[in-house]
Amino acid sequence: MTDTDSQTTRTELDAIIEALHRDKRKRVRKLLRGMHVGKVASLLEALDGPQRMALWQHIDDDREEQVLKHLTPLLGAQLRREPDTSDLTDEEEEGEGATTQIARVRDALEAGKFKRVGKAFRQMHPAKAAGLLEALPPAERTTVWEMLDAERAGKVLVHLHDEVRARLALEMDEDELVAAARKLDLDDLVDLIQALPSDSGRQLLQAMDVRKRQQLMSMLSYPEDSAGGLMNTDQISVRVDVRVGSVLRYLRLLEDLPDHTDKVMVVDRKNRYQGVLRLSRLLTSSPEVLVSDVMDGDFQPLDVMLPSHEVARRFEDLDILSAAVVDEDGLLLGRITVDDVVDLIREDSERTMMSMAGLDDEADMFAPVLTSSRRRAVWLGINLVTAFLAAWVIGLFQGTLEQLVALAVLMPIVASMGGIAGSQTLTLVVRGMALGQVEGGNARLLLSKEIGIACLNGVLWALVVAALAVAWFGNWQLGAVIAAAILLNLLCAAVSGLAIPLLLRRFGVDPALAGSVILTTVTDVVGFLAFLGLATLFLL
């Protein structure tokens, strides 16, 4: 080695040691990737034990064997001693005191065993790896993300929530992001482009080849919550006037069938949808018969502008694995598969659950404190307004409460009973609306049923509470007042639980988002007003 080479190696060694000392793992990896494997081996030999092991953790797996060839057998054996990763990839253990998978990964990262963690994440299913990534704090999440190769990163990106996906994608170099994106299916690539900031999404789109770019632009032109936004263009289509034997020969020429292919689409010479040919029928039919004789012409396609919730309902009702998507002229555009519908249903359920608490289902669990606080402040403000409204109603009867302290003890019971009864009706109605089972045609009948339930439960529990109030305070008039208030509030809760979601839907507001807040306000106000108003009239 010349003096110049020695000086260069020393400079690189100093740079790597400094980066390791400052915990700049990304810089260490970049420096190593730019070096010849022989020089990497020389650096490993020049370091002491702890520094050598720390550096070894940052060497890419695909370069391990090449580096080891340049090392002595003894040193190579020491570096090869890598703990088993099975304890990181196993499911969480049950029982008190068991160490969770998240804790095991964090412990390995804290101990500097990056290769061990990287190998474990590469062995996991992409969906599981995505869930585990989202459970890690941002710094540790970035560390793990830097260990994944482009192909693996692309598969994991698909399963991440939008905010986390965009943040991790932006941490990748443009070449790495493009390489990861090219491994994705078109529908997943569309989701990624939509999740990225507009400039990054545009750059990613321009990096694709002409054919894929045209397909992506066509898919991006449709609303995200429509059949066009869900579809993929990987369908197999055959003409209606060919023979089954020709179709079989065509399929054998393909390297592989697209995932979830249970049928091929049948079109005419102008690519207009005609029906489907199920693979089971294709395999059992004579090679000489025409496709038109064995296809299912009654299988209805999905309109490209059909709302996504209607798509999910169609799959659920018909119990199908895939369906064709057509435009208004009947031209075949693509298909939707059951895996996308399952993702859609899961996302909708998560969105509903989070929206009821005023949270964003795509938000990062470890988002900055200021960002999370700002998001939640709006919902807290809305609840504060409704709380002041209920407090104002109570304030109207301040004199009554001062004269009869028992009212202050009992009035939360009235509001609580109404709130529970109303939430039962609201949940039933919101679910029915989501399934398309509640609309103007049957709302009156449902209202009659809910009022009947409120009357029966109202009488039952009004008598129970009245008896308890009389036994507690020895005042039968107080028992009668609280019984009447509970009955009135339960009737109001039944009407409100049905009317509120219907009205919100008419005004374009998600009932799952705002329904519970409005309902709670109504039952609190009516409950307090009925109880305290009746007490003022009959007890004072």
Side-chain angles (χ1 to χ4, degrees), residues 417-432 438 442-459 486-502 519:
M417 293 291 287
I420 294 297
S423 66
Q424 291 172 340
T425 302
L426 179 73
T427 303
L428 181 70
V429 173
V430 170
R431 174 184 176 275
V438 177
N442 61 0
R444 287 178 180 272
L445 294 174
L446 185 58
L447 178 61
S448 299
K449 176 213 166 189
E450 290 299 316
I451 289 177
I453 294 173
C455 287
L456 289 176
N457 276 328
V459 171
I486 286 178
L487 180 57
L488 288 174
N489 204 18
L490 260 64
L491 288 170
C492 175
V495 175
S496 301
L498 178 64
I500 288 173
L502 292 174
L519 176 68

Side-chain angles (χ1 to χ4, degrees), residues 47-65:
L47 293 171
D48 58 26
Q51 289 179 331
R52 180 185 300 136
M53 291 304 300
L55 183 61
W56 175 250
Q57 298 294 328
H58 296 286
I59 296 175
D60 293 336
D61 289 350
D62 56 356
R63 304 185 75 193
E64 275 188 15
E65 293 301 325

Side-chain angles (χ1 to χ4, degrees), residues 26-27 29-30 33 145-146 150 153 157 167-181 196 200 203-204:
K26 193 169 185 178
R27 174 167 171 74
R29 289 192 178 87
K30 284 187 175 181
R33 288 168 185 166
W145 186 247
E146 291 170 356
L157 276 174
R167 186 168 293 141
L168 290 178
L170 291 176
E171 291 181 4
M172 302 173 70
D173 295 335
E174 184 177 345
D175 293 341
E176 293 176 336
L177 181 58
V178 171
L196 292 173
S200 300
Q203 291 176 0
L204 185 57

Side-chain angles (χ1 to χ4, degrees), residues 199-355:
D199 291 342
S200 300
R202 194 178 303 111
Q203 291 176 0
L204 185 57
L205 184 63
Q206 294 300 321
M208 299 295 122
D209 58 63
V210 176
R211 181 172 177 274
K212 182 173 283 190
R213 191 187 314 139
Q214 291 174 344
Q215 291 175 317
L216 289 170
M217 291 178 66
S218 174
M219 296 170 68
L220 287 167
S221 65
Y222 300 110
E224 187 175 355
D225 58 348
S226 67
L230 289 171
M231 73 176 182
N232 203 338
T233 57
D234 62 350
Q235 77 281 356
I236 298 176
S237 59
V238 297
R239 288 211 312 271
V240 69
D241 55 353
V242 301
R243 299 186 183 278
V244 167
S246 300
V247 176
L248 289 171
R249 286 192 295 272
Y250 168 66
L251 294 180
R252 292 191 189 104
L253 293 175
L254 301 177
E255 292 183 3
D256 195 10
L257 295 181
D259 292 338
H260 306 289
T261 298
D262 63 320
K263 59 181 74 74
V264 296
M265 311 304 169
V266 181
V267 297
D268 61 13
R269 292 181 179 275
K270 294 184 179 180
N271 199 42
R272 286 194 293 261
Y273 176 84
Q274 301 297 308
V276 298
L277 176 57
R278 302 180 189 278
L279 292 185
S280 57
R281 187 70 186 275
L282 174 65
L283 295 174
T284 57
S285 299
S286 170
E288 301 302 320
V289 301
L290 294 173
V291 168
S292 58
D293 295 330
V294 294
M295 75 176 192
D296 182 0
D298 296 328
F299 192 89
Q300 295 299 314
L302 305 174
D303 184 85
V304 69
M305 298 305 293
L306 188 70
S308 57
H309 66 272
E310 291 291 339
V311 173
R313 186 180 306 161
R314 187 81 63 87
F315 269 72
E316 181 183 6
D317 292 343
L318 301 180
D319 196 19
I320 54 180
L321 294 178
S322 63
V325 179
V326 299
D327 65 9
E328 58 183 5
D329 297 322
L331 296 176
L332 179 64
L333 300 176
R335 67 169 186 149
I336 296 176
T337 53
V338 67
D339 59 322
D340 294 317
V341 176
V342 170
D343 290 340
L344 172 66
I345 295 172
R346 177 182 56 80
E347 290 167 3
D348 283 346
S349 64
E350 287 182 359
R351 186 180 301 113
T352 299
M353 181 181 66
M354 299 289 279
S355 295

Side-chain angles (χ1 to χ4, degrees), residues 10 30 39 42 49 53 102 104 115 154 160 171 193 217 219 255 286 294 323 374 383 398-399 480 533:
R10 171 53 57 183
K30 284 187 175 181
K39 183 173 287 187
S42 299
M53 291 304 300
I102 297 172
R104 293 196 293 267
K115 293 180 79 66
L160 293 168
E171 291 181 4
I193 292 174
M217 291 178 66
M219 296 170 68
E255 292 183 3
S286 170
V294 294
R374 186 171 60 249
N383 279 275
Q398 184 175 354

